[in-house]
């Protein structure tokens, strides 16, 4: 059960990380929309004539239009962002597919409504975006290398994804067309019931409004109260007015109105304590919960989100930082917001608003209207309590349940420091670091098997939630991948050395080496100098060129092993991509390393996960120390044997010292084109 919850938690964490890209634009959009919307409202301009300056109104309206452009298309933006964030490679295609699929999805619903139910309206908000973005990411990760028959070859590969995503979006749109009207009807019925419940109804209104706001469906609730008889009916200046907001603005414009504003303001007044005080308190809590080293880098997200909520009442930028990684925490937030509406009703706070519940509306429609009409000081008393309530609850929940909000992961965490400082200090670097790795993997009892391929340490574990990734990063690993049943740590040429040492320690745990020396990789016979130059890398095999980002392996597609390119081979004859000296040949024969005269280290990696084949499909035709050129055949592969084993035979050419030696790279041939061996396909400029 714990593993299941761990996987669910990791899924929500990945979802939260995927949403960080679109969320990052929300604070600025919120400020533009909030300021522009509140200060161009007719009621605000009539009440405060100094706002009625042509140049000022023009600027404010442009701000409003700009901010509204983001929030009006929030679902589309999130659909694209989610597809990009969850894609394992070729993220541009995934983003395009996400956008196209969402447009097809909404068009499908709109078309079905016109055909079968023209009087109805369906808007699934961000919920629909989550479904579309997730499905597109799944299709992209599983089918972006689909090969179609030759006469349809143009539509294969990454071009296939927008096509299959659009077709799938039609099906999803049809499903939502069927299931959504009952859901929408239930929300409407709930609204009528809430309107009859007094102060408890105010609580339910605030709770349900915030809860549905998580997926952008709050617009199915509040218009019923703002603009219909659900929000009340009143006689104002001799006219009958219905709807909470309509009544409020009518009373605001009536110079003869005295006393508190309409009771319908209970559908607005509860917002102010949450938006001006509660959420900023939560923002401060999240900021202080971040590791101190990360506050400068990641704290701006929370501080700007808290400021946006305080000034304008735009809450999404802050809420989305914890919604997807801890939905249960959002439910607590919704409950507290419902309580805010209940308390505001009891305290007779009667402040309306034009846009939201931030400082701008509080000043315009609360403070400046007078205490006798709004009871605005009560918001300050309530707000202080709400600030500390949110601050304490969020601090407790984040620390107690280790909520992985953005910026929580600390690259230099104390746990890794403790493991490495408490590890053995025998003076033998290999043994000491191997013991640190064992501790980072959760100890001997958590380890099942240890192996290595050309670049990564592969470990099967009983529980991979016990892994401390920080130790691997301190040992130079550019990445650690948690996979089903274990982890893969990218340790380069040291992976095999660590694998051997760790297995020796596991077999003989009480035997510490006396004079073990770290095994060094084979040295070249010729001295190499670090020379700044531009090099062309040739295709090592006949086949189709593939951008590294499109390789179906996160280690390579995310360039953890460095820059490079890949070839889908059509034969098994492998040549050297560069001139240099062979410096390493892995014992499983699936990879070898070449060093150029300028110091560039190039690895030829044959197939994905082919280390498991123990060298059977590979025939290496060179030995360490041999000088090679692009005309030198270095290996031969039995492609059929690789495919029969269920492995991808793709040939990767990687520059393993990219960080130290490479200034920039350029593909000389577009991804997807057929290339011949010996032909230049990739350019590298060294530092």
């Amino acid at each position: 059960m714990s593993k299941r919850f761990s996987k669910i938690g990791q899924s929500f964490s990945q979802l939260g990380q995927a949403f960080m890209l679109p969320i990052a634009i929300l604070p600025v959009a919120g400020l533009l929309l909030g300021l522009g919307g509140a200060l161009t409202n007719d009621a605000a301009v009539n009440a405060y004539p100094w706002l009625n300056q042509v140049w000022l109104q023009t600027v404010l309206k442009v701000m409003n239009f700009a901010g509204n452009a983001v929030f009006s298309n929030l679902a589309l933006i999130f659909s694209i962002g989610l597809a990009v964030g969850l894609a394992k490679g070729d993220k541009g295609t995934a983003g395009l597919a996400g956008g196209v699929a969402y447009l097809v999805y909404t068009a499908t619903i709109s078309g079905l409504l016109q055909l079968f139910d023209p009087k109805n309206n369906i808007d699934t908000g961000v919920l629909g975006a989550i479904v579309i973005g997730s499905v597109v990411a799944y299709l992209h990760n599983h089918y972006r290398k689909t090969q179609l028959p030759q006469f349809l070859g143009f539509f294969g590969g990454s071009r296939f994804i927008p096509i299959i995503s659009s077709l799938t979006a039609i099906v999803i749109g049809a499903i939502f067309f069927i299931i959504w009207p009952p859901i929408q009807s239930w929300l409407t019925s709930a609204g009528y019931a809430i309107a009859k419940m007094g102060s408890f109804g105010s609580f339910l209104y605030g709770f349900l409004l915030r809860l549905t706001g998580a997926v952008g469906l709050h617009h199915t609730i509040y218009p019923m109260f703002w603009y219909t008889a659900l929000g009340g009916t009143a006689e104002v200046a001799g006219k009958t007015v219905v709807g909470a907001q309509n009544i409020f603005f009518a009373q605001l414009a009536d110079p003869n109105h005295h006393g508190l504003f309409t009771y319908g303001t209970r559908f607005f007044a509860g917002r102010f304590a949450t938006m001006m005080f509660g959420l900023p308190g939560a923002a401060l809590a999240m900021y202080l919960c971040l590791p101190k080293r990360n506050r400068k880098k990641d704290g701006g997200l929370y501080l700007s989100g808290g400021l946006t909520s305080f000034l304008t009442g735009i809450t999404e930028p802050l809420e989305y930082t914890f919604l997807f990684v801890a939905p249960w925490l959002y439910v607590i937030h919704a409950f507290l917001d419902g309580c805010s509406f209940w308390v505001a009703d009891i305290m007779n706070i009667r402040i309306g608003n034009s846009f939201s519940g931030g400082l701008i509306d509080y000043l315009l429609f609360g403070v400046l209207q007078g205490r006798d009409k709004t009871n605005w000081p009560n918001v300050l008393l309530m707000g202080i309590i709400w600030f500390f309530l949110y601050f304490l609850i969020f601090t407790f929940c984040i620390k107690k349940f280790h909520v992985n909000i953005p910026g929580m992961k600390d690259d230099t965490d104390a746990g890794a420091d403790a493991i490495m400082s408490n590890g053995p200090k025998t003076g033998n670097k290999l043994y000491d670091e191997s013991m640190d790795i064992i501790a980072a993997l959760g100890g001997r009892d958590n380890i099942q098997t240890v192996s290595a391929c050309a670049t990564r340490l592969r470990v099967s574990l009983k529980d991979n939630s016990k892994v401390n990734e920080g130790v691997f990063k301190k040992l130079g690993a550019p990445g650690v991948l948690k996979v089903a049943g274990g982890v893969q740590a990218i340790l380069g040429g040291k992976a095999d050395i660590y694998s051997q040492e760790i297995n020796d320690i596991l077999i003989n745990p009480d035997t510490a080496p006396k004079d073990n020396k770290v095994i060094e990789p084979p040295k070249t016979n010729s001295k190499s100098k670090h020379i700044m130059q531009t090099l062309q890398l040739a295709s090592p095999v006949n086949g189709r060129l593939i951008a590294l980002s499109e390789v179906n392996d996160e280690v390579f597609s995310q360039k953890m092993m460095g820059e490079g390119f890949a070839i889908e081979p059509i034969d098994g004859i492998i040549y050297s991509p560069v001139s240099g000296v062979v410096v390493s040949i892995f014992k499983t024969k699936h990879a070898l390393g070449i060093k150029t005269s300028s110091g560039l280290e190039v690895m030829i990696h044959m197939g994905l996960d082919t280390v498991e084949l123990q060298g059977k499909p590979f025939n290496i035709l060179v030995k360490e120390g041999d000088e090679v050129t692009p005309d030198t055949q270095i290996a031969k592969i039995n492609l059929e044997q690789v495919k029969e084993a269920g492995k991808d035979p793709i040939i990767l050419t990687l520059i393993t010292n990219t960080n130290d030696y490479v200034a920039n790279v350029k593909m000389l041939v577009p991804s997807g084109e057929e290339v011949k061996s010996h032909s230049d396909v990739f350019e590298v400029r060294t530092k």
Side-chain angles (χ1 to χ4, degrees), residues 86-295:
L86 295 178
K88 294 181 179 179
D90 193 13
K91 293 178 179 289
T93 300
L96 174 64
V100 171
Y102 185 78
L103 294 175
V104 171
Y105 161 79
T106 54
T108 299
I109 294 177
S110 177
L112 291 171
L113 284 171
Q114 291 180 34
L115 291 172
F116 301 106
D117 195 3
K119 295 182 179 180
N120 206 347
N121 180 50
I122 293 177
D123 184 358
T124 58
V126 176
L127 180 63
I130 292 175
V131 174
I132 291 295
S134 300
V135 170
V136 169
Y138 175 84
L139 294 172
H140 178 79
N141 291 335
H142 285 77
Y143 301 110
R144 63 192 173 94
K145 292 189 176 181
T146 297
Q147 294 186 0
L148 300 176
Q150 188 172 0
F151 69 96
L152 294 174
F154 175 81
F155 301 103
S158 59
R159 298 186 185 97
F160 180 67
I161 302 307
I163 299 172
I164 188 65
S165 297
S166 298
L167 295 175
T168 305
I170 295 175
V171 177
I172 297 174
I175 293 172
F176 269 89
F177 172 75
I178 295 170
I179 68 173
W180 199 251
I183 298 174
Q184 203 159 282
S185 176
W186 177 85
L187 290 173
T188 302
S189 299
Y192 279 101
I194 288 170
K196 301 176 181 179
M197 294 183 182
S199 295
F200 182 67
S202 298
F203 163 78
L204 288 179
Y205 170 82
F207 176 67
L208 189 58
L209 187 71
R210 185 60 52 194
L211 205 60
T212 54
V215 289
L217 300 181
H218 52 297
H219 59 267
T220 63
I221 296 178
Y222 74 77
M224 296 185 296
F225 295 88
W226 287 20
Y227 308 118
T228 73
L230 280 177
T233 302
E235 189 82 15
V236 183
K239 296 181 180 180
T240 300
V241 184
V242 298
Q245 191 177 70
N246 293 333
I247 295 171
F248 172 74
F249 281 126
Q251 291 178 340
L252 192 69
D254 181 9
N256 298 315
H257 177 79
H258 300 285
L260 289 172
F261 284 125
T262 173
Y263 181 59
T265 52
R266 66 189 177 116
F267 300 120
F268 307 100
R271 294 175 141 203
F272 294 99
T274 297
M275 295 176 174
M276 289 175 57
F277 297 96
L279 282 173
L284 180 61
M286 290 189 281
Y287 174 79
L288 293 178
C289 284
L290 297 180
K292 290 184 178 180
R293 296 182 181 89
N294 292 354
R295 289 177 187 173

Side-chain angles (χ1 to χ4, degrees), residues 585-592 606 614-616 618-620:
I585 299 175
F586 291 84
K587 62 182 181 180
T588 49
K589 301 180 182 179
H590 72 295
L592 54 85
M606 296 175 278
Q614 296 299 313
K616 294 179 181 178
F618 308 107
N619 181 18
I620 303 298

Side-chain angles (χ1 to χ4, degrees), residues 43-64:
V45 173
N46 292 333
Y48 311 103
W50 58 269
L51 289 173
N52 195 18
Q53 307 291 328
V54 175
W55 68 269
L56 179 59
Q57 286 297 303
T58 300
V59 171
L60 291 171
K61 287 178 180 178
V62 170
M63 290 170 57
N64 187 36

Side-chain angles (χ1 to χ4, degrees), residues 666-686:
K666 181 172 68 173
M667 295 274 283
L668 301 179
V669 178
S671 179
E673 295 291 324
E674 298 290 331
V675 295
K676 299 291 185 182
S677 57
H678 315 303
S679 61
D680 293 338
V681 296
F682 197 76
E683 184 175 276
V684 178
R685 181 178 292 277
T686 63

